[in-house]
Amino acid sequence: MVDGELAVSIDVLALAGEFTIDFAAQTTRAHAELRFRVGPVAGRPIFDLRQEGVTGSLDGAVMDASGLPQRDLGGGPGTEMRVLAGVLPACSEHVLVLDYPIEVLVGYAAPPPVFKEDGVAWDFGFSDLTPRTFLEQWLPANLIHDRHPITLVVEVVGGPADQRVISNGPVVELGPARWQVEFPASSTAQSPMLVLIPGARVESSSTTISLPDGDYGLELHRRIEVAASSAALHELLAKSFASYATSTGGYAYPGFTAVVGFNGGMEYDGGTTSAVEALSHELFHSWYGRGIRPARASDGWFDEAWNEYNTGFPLFPAGPIEADAPPGVLCTDNPWSRTTPYTAYVEGKAVFAAIADAAGVEPLRASMGEFYAAHVLELASTAELERHLFCSLGASAVREVFHRHVYGKQGAAAAVPDGYCEG
């Protein structure tokens, strides 16, 4: 209930967003069109957008920011969502059109376009470690379970001619300093990578990665301040590609796009913005994280944990969790949780190490490969992973470890339900 009325989830059918960047005025404006369907219960639609100063229309009826209040739906401070004013009928389809300036956001967020003498610099800058830092920073978006096509248009008006748009989707030049990027129907609010950069600030190259199941294009964009050569980075990526395809399974995307020269790194569908030292970690997310996708934000722990198990030092550890270690929550049952906990990197890795201690490292790695094959480009939940590991490895330790160190529960895990491993 929100303001005395029922708020309801929506199914986004398509999202189109256009950014107009005025170089002389040093301003950026967004125009967005969100097509969505209300579910089987009438109510006020829920989505998110962090930018302010919004005007627009719903099905042609003019509205302003008062029709887009932000409300805490139970996830806690910093996890608010937009709840449209006005109840919409069940099973009805609608078009929401919004216009607004792109400005600096309060709290953690990526910066808006930065204007430099030689052009404009901008990175979508997603993060799974803080709430509301996926596509909702820039465009209206749903939570990460919702899959739908996305179209982006970017235009720089009056800027230097040597400007680049880099993305993990195909970039089409519509005209001078105007580009379009299309993302498929499998995309989520975590999917689109967009980097706008002056051409003189990046060195671009491409090659082909040959894997057992086919050839894949690799685009590498090395920011000029990066000391490592493009050749060395290509070699690193090719070696990692071969390793992950062997250990985990076939690659899910037609290619991979890497922009190297950022602090830390962030994964996207078949792409990354990354520091050199994080590059292998971010590539592995195209198997776990953006190959298998978390069903909810609270399921994002296991892709970071399994990534660290496969790419962090030490590799593939096996060992029990200390008997006196307190329960730890890696996965909450709160549907409005919107972050991956920092503890996923260390304590989550320890969860897999404890399972490897009970079942063996190689059986665990083989089981995770099977789980990937069963869920590639699909959503997967923590409960599904627990069931798969328990049933494929036959180790009772799986349920005990998940009970105490994933869900944070005291005591012993419940008995296995009848039919748990059937079907």
Side-chain angles (χ1 to χ4, degrees):
M1 300 300 294
V2 172
D3 305 328
E5 296 176 309
L6 189 66
V8 296
S9 296
I10 62 171
D11 177 21
V12 175
L13 304 176
L15 170 66
E18 181 166 352
F19 302 98
T20 303
I21 302 171
D22 188 320
F23 190 81
Q26 297 196 359
T27 61
T28 302
R29 291 200 63 86
H31 175 87
E33 182 176 296
L34 186 76
R35 294 197 302 109
F36 67 91
R37 178 186 298 115
V38 178
V41 178
R44 291 174 56 179
I46 301 167
F47 70 102
D48 200 14
L49 172 64
R50 288 184 66 184
Q51 296 292 330
E52 300 290 350
V54 181
T55 59
S57 64
L58 177 64
D59 300 329
V62 175
M63 61 185 302
D64 58 24
S66 65
L68 299 162
Q70 300 186 64
R71 296 290 185 264
D72 179 359
L73 300 178
T79 65
E80 294 83 2
M81 301 280 289
R82 299 275 187 176
V83 183
L84 280 176
V87 173
L88 298 181
C91 304
S92 57
E93 294 187 8
H94 304 272
V95 178
L96 179 66
V97 177
L98 302 176
D99 291 279
Y100 46 92
I102 296 292
E103 297 179 339
V104 175
L105 295 169
V106 176
Y108 181 86
V114 176
F115 297 89
K116 301 178 179 292
E117 288 186 4
D118 57 352
V120 184
W122 189 28
D123 166 30
F124 264 5
F126 292 176
S127 173
D128 55 359
L129 298 175
T130 52
R132 305 184 78 187
T133 46
F134 293 125
L135 190 57
E136 60 269 14
Q137 293 181 100
W138 314 115
L139 291 168
N142 207 344
L143 297 178
I144 63 172
H145 65 274
D146 202 352
R147 294 173 288 179
H148 54 81
I150 300 171
T151 301
L152 301 178
V153 174
V154 179
E155 182 175 18
V156 179
V157 178
D162 189 16
Q163 187 79 57
R164 296 284 306 281
V165 164
I166 303 170
S167 179
N168 55 334
V171 179
V172 176
E173 192 164 347
L174 301 179
R178 183 175 171 86
W179 304 267
Q180 179 174 288
V181 190
E182 296 276 358
F183 297 91
S186 59
S187 302
T188 74
Q190 294 179 311
S191 296
M193 180 181 84
L194 184 73
V195 176
L196 182 64
I197 190 168
R201 294 175 180 259
V202 64
E203 177 186 86
S204 299
S205 54
S206 62
T207 189
T208 299
I209 300 292
S210 295
L211 300 177
D213 60 344
D215 294 339
Y216 299 89
L218 170 61
E219 286 188 18
L220 175 66
H221 306 273
R222 183 184 69 88
R223 291 171 61 165
I224 58 174
E225 62 268 24
V226 174
S229 69
S230 293
L233 296 173
H234 275 288
E235 183 179 355
L236 170 62
L237 287 168
K239 181 179 179 181
S240 297
F241 256 101
S243 173
Y244 304 153
T246 299
S247 69
T248 306
Y251 185 66
Y253 296 100
F256 186 76
T257 302
V259 187
V260 182
F262 288 80
N263 293 324
M266 186 60 202
E267 64 274 10
Y268 300 88
D269 290 5
T272 183
T273 56
S274 179
V276 173
E277 57 271 19
L279 198 50
S280 292
H281 174 105
E282 301 306 336
L283 173 61
F284 189 70
H285 275 304
S286 281
W287 278 265
Y288 263 85
R290 301 298 176 266
I292 288 183
R293 281 93 171 273
R296 304 173 302 165
S298 56
D299 297 308
W301 75 272
F302 69 74
D303 69 75
E304 293 295 357
W306 186 240
N307 195 321
E308 281 296 301
Y309 190 87
N310 283 266
T311 68
F313 182 81
L315 291 173
F316 319 127
I321 298 173
E322 295 293 335
D324 59 352
V329 178
L330 293 172
C331 177
T332 173
D333 58 5
N334 187 331
W336 303 107
S337 172
R338 300 183 68 180
T339 57
T340 295
Y342 283 95
T343 52
Y345 295 88
V346 175
E347 295 176 15
K349 183 177 182 177
V351 164
F352 286 110
I355 295 171
D357 184 63
V361 170
E362 292 310 315
L364 170 61
R365 294 181 71 195
S367 180
M368 291 297 285
E370 293 166 0
F371 191 67
Y372 170 79
H375 295 85
V376 61
L377 292 185
E378 298 292 337
L379 305 176
S381 70
T382 298
E384 289 171 322
L385 176 61
E386 177 189 10
R387 174 178 168 176
H388 170 80
L389 291 174
F390 174 83
C391 297
S392 68
L393 297 174
S396 60
V398 170
R399 284 180 57 81
E400 294 299 331
V401 169
F402 268 70
H403 178 76
R404 185 172 180 84
H405 299 290
V406 175
Y407 304 124
K409 307 294 186 182
Q410 298 278 1
V416 177
D418 291 340
Y420 187 63
C421 291
E422 297 176 2

